[in-house]
């Protein structure tokens, strides 16, 4: 879809001689030229997330000369980030991601104004943060924040440049309720909790966020300068392993609760609750055990069923001694292999998938005591056996 620039003419200023030299390759393109570069200089873009997707977006928008880049992230740089989050480097380990990203942006282009928000975007601050920007780039990896960004953008009339990645596959689109569908038109409801693992649990090949993030950056630039064939109304699907891509046409949903003909959502909601991530009053709280507590139980000879629910390729990274292997997808159908008279402790990488295994057994009627190893096998490697790798 072709769309006019979203940057108003009255905001345009002029280019200095130094800027003309820096952006000369843009200026030679008739589709960009001086006016397009002025619009880039006048634009304000907010990046939610400075991880795998946000990293290439930030780098390319800074290089392109976007006037103001806001970055929202509350995380710190970890060594596992460096496989794909190219805006950070080894020297940035343990730094706030927004601080690391700002340094890199300013190193690429000192003319760019960078605003940092070292906080988690939520229903209380989203409208205030997003309001000042022309475009929002969704570089997040969880459903509550995706719905939050979508709803805030619809309520404020902002375009939402969307991307998502998992293992070898990525998606990209532009959700802009003024000109096409929004994220809720495509995904009216989130998947059941635990059905779609995060990249931290399912993995992602490092180059994929670079590809999808660069596509997002290109869509931002086109929105700013007024380019043809925007991804508004289109969902691009990319498979880096097969090196294939396909495209789905998206239609605006007249019944969409926020951008449809009769919207019922007029303010931001509780997105954790909407995505089913808050336990209901009927659910029994999951009992957990720390790595140090589990170590003391094992040393004391306490009868235990240690259940490793990870897949084979994950266990090849690190094995847990004496644990019985029952992958998550087999838990319920192998319920007869559990002894209700002996406590069962469930193990996964970071203690999230094991919660879903316990819930599944509870729903299936299992009556024995079920415990989750808090923070998973990584906690065991961190607190008990430092010879084991954390991954």
């Amino acid at each position: 879809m072709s769309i006019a620039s979203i940057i108003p003419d009255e905001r345009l200023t002029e280019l200095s001689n130094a800027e003309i030299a820096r952006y000369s390759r843009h200026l030679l393109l008739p589709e960009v030229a001086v006016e397009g570069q002025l619009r880039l200089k006048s634009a304000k873009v907010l990046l939610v997330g400075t991880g795998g997707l946000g990293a290439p977006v930030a780098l390319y928008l800074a290089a392109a000369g976007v006037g103001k880049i806001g970055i929202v992230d509350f995380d710190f740089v970890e060594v596992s980030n460096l496989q794909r989050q190219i805006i950070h480097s080894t020297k940035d380990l343990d730094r706030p991601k927004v601080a690391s990203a700002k340094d890199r942006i300013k190193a690429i282009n000192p003319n760019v104004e960078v605003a940092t928000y070292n906080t988690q975007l939520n229903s209380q601050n989203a409208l205030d943060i997003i309001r000042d920007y022309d475009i929002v780039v969704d570089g997040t990896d969880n459903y509550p924040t995706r719905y939050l960004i979508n709803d805030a953008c619809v309520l404020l009339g902002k375009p939402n440049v969307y991307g998502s990645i998992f293992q070898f596959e990525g998606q990209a689109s532009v959700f802009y309720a003024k000109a096409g569908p929004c994220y809720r038109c495509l995904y009216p409801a989130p998947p059941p909790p635990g059905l779609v693992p995060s990249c931290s649990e399912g993995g992602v090949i490092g180059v994929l966020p670079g590809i999808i993030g660069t596509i997002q950056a290109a869509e931002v630039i086109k929105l700013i300068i007024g380019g043809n064939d925007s991804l508004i109304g289109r969902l691009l699907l990319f498979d880096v392993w097969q090196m294939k891509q396909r495209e789905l046409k998206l239609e605006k949903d007249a019944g969409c609760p926020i951008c449809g003909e009769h919207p019922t959502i007029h303010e931001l909601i509780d997105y954790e609750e909407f995505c089913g991530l808050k336990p209901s009053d009927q659910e029994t709280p999951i009992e957990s055990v720390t790595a140090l507590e589990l170590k003391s139980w094992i040393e004391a000879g306490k009868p235990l069923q240690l259940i490793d629910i990870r897949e084979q390729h994950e266990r090849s990274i690190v094995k847990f001694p004496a644990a019985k292997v029952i992958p998550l997808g087999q838990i319920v159908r192998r319920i007869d292999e559990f002894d209700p008279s002996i406590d069962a402790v469930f193990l996964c990488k970071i203690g999230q998938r094991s919660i879903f295994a316990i819930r599944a057994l509870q729903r299936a009627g299992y009556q024995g005591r079920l415990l989750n190893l808090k923070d998973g096998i990584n906690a065991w490697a961190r607190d008990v056996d430092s010879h084991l790798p954390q991954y």
Side-chain angles (χ1 to χ4, degrees):
M1 175 183 291
S2 177
I3 187 170
S5 170
I6 63 171
I7 308 301
D9 292 345
E10 59 268 21
R11 202 192 293 173
L12 305 186
T13 55
E14 60 182 23
L15 298 176
S16 67
N17 288 347
E19 288 171 324
I20 289 173
R22 178 181 283 266
Y23 308 120
S24 64
R25 299 306 186 271
H26 271 177
L27 305 182
L28 294 171
L29 297 170
E31 293 84 357
V32 182
V34 171
E35 181 181 339
Q37 193 62 49
L38 287 172
R39 295 186 184 280
L40 288 167
K41 181 180 179 179
S42 303
K44 295 180 286 186
V45 179
L46 181 70
L47 312 183
V48 184
T50 55
L53 292 171
V57 176
L59 296 176
Y60 274 104
L61 294 186
V66 169
K68 180 177 179 179
I69 297 176
I71 45 179
V72 183
D73 207 314
F74 65 99
D75 209 352
F76 292 81
V77 180
E78 300 177 359
V79 68
S80 62
N81 301 149
L82 303 182
Q83 165 254 11
R84 65 203 176 281
Q85 299 180 16
I86 57 173
I87 202 167
H88 312 296
S89 62
T90 303
K91 67 179 179 61
D92 296 313
L93 290 175
D94 300 323
R95 293 184 68 199
K97 286 186 177 180
V98 292
S100 171
K102 180 177 181 178
D103 286 351
R104 187 71 186 279
I105 291 170
K106 298 295 284 188
I108 291 173
N109 191 342
N111 297 325
V112 176
E113 178 186 352
V114 182
T116 60
Y117 305 88
N118 191 13
T119 185
Q120 184 174 15
L121 198 72
N122 56 48
S123 298
Q124 287 69 49
N125 63 21
L127 294 177
D128 289 336
I129 293 175
I130 291 173
R131 185 175 284 110
D132 188 46
Y133 291 88
D134 304 305
I135 300 170
V136 178
V137 179
D138 182 350
T140 63
D141 63 356
N142 65 87
Y143 287 98
T145 312
R146 287 174 185 162
Y147 281 99
L148 167 65
I149 292 170
N150 176 79
D151 291 0
C153 285
V154 173
L155 293 175
L156 294 171
K158 311 286 186 180
N160 167 21
V161 180
Y162 161 79
S164 70
I165 52 172
F166 181 66
Q167 294 187 338
F168 299 101
E169 299 179 355
Q171 301 179 357
S173 189
V174 176
F175 299 114
Y176 192 21
K178 289 183 177 180
C182 78
Y183 182 74
R184 284 181 181 267
C185 296
L186 175 61
Y187 298 114
L195 181 64
V196 182
S198 66
C199 290
S200 66
E201 294 190 295
V204 61
I205 193 165
V207 297
L208 178 63
I211 295 168
I212 300 300
T214 304
I215 290 171
Q216 289 178 278
E219 290 301 304
V220 171
I221 291 172
K222 288 191 293 182
L223 287 169
I224 292 170
I225 65 176
N228 291 331
D229 298 321
S230 164
L231 282 178
I232 294 174
R234 297 188 290 153
L235 180 68
L236 182 67
L237 306 172
F238 189 88
D239 185 329
V240 72
W241 198 247
Q242 301 293 330
M243 204 50 72
K244 293 180 180 179
Q245 68 179 44
R246 58 194 179 97
E247 186 179 296
L248 301 178
K249 184 178 180 181
L250 305 180
E251 300 286 351
K252 194 175 185 71
D253 180 6
C256 177
I258 193 163
C259 80
E261 295 176 357
H262 304 288
T264 56
I265 298 175
H266 304 287
E267 59 185 15
L268 301 182
I269 62 175
D270 186 330
Y271 293 91
E272 293 284 328
E273 183 177 36
F274 173 69
C275 292
L277 299 178
K278 284 189 173 181
S280 69
D281 295 337
Q282 289 75 35
E283 285 185 323
T284 304
I286 298 296
E287 192 174 355
S288 65
V289 57
T290 68
L292 291 174
E293 288 172 332
L294 180 59
K295 176 177 180 289
S296 69
W297 288 357
I298 293 173
E299 290 176 344
K302 177 181 172 68
L304 293 170
Q305 300 175 91
L306 301 176
I307 310 298
D308 188 342
I309 66 165
R310 298 173 302 153
E311 299 295 330
Q312 180 178 351
H313 69 276
E314 227 181 322
R315 296 195 306 276
S316 68
I317 303 171
V318 56
K319 292 180 173 61
F320 195 89
K324 181 174 183 175
V325 175
I326 304 181
L328 178 58
Q330 302 176 20
I331 284 291
V332 174
R333 71 171 181 263
R334 294 175 64 177
I335 192 171
D336 291 340
E337 297 181 29
F338 294 91
D339 184 347
S341 67
I342 301 176
D343 293 351
V345 179
F346 287 77
L347 320 169
C348 67
K349 177 189 172 186
I350 56 175
Q352 291 184 349
R353 281 171 291 171
S354 48
I355 291 176
F356 299 118
I358 292 173
R359 290 286 185 214
L361 284 173
Q362 289 175 337
R363 286 191 288 268
Y366 185 77
Q367 297 299 312
R369 188 185 184 198
L370 305 171
L371 302 103
N372 175 43
L373 177 59
K374 185 178 180 182
D375 298 328
I377 289 175
N378 273 357
W380 184 272
R382 182 190 67 222
D383 300 334
V384 176
D385 188 352
S386 60
H387 293 96
L388 296 178
Q390 297 181 52
Y391 65 104

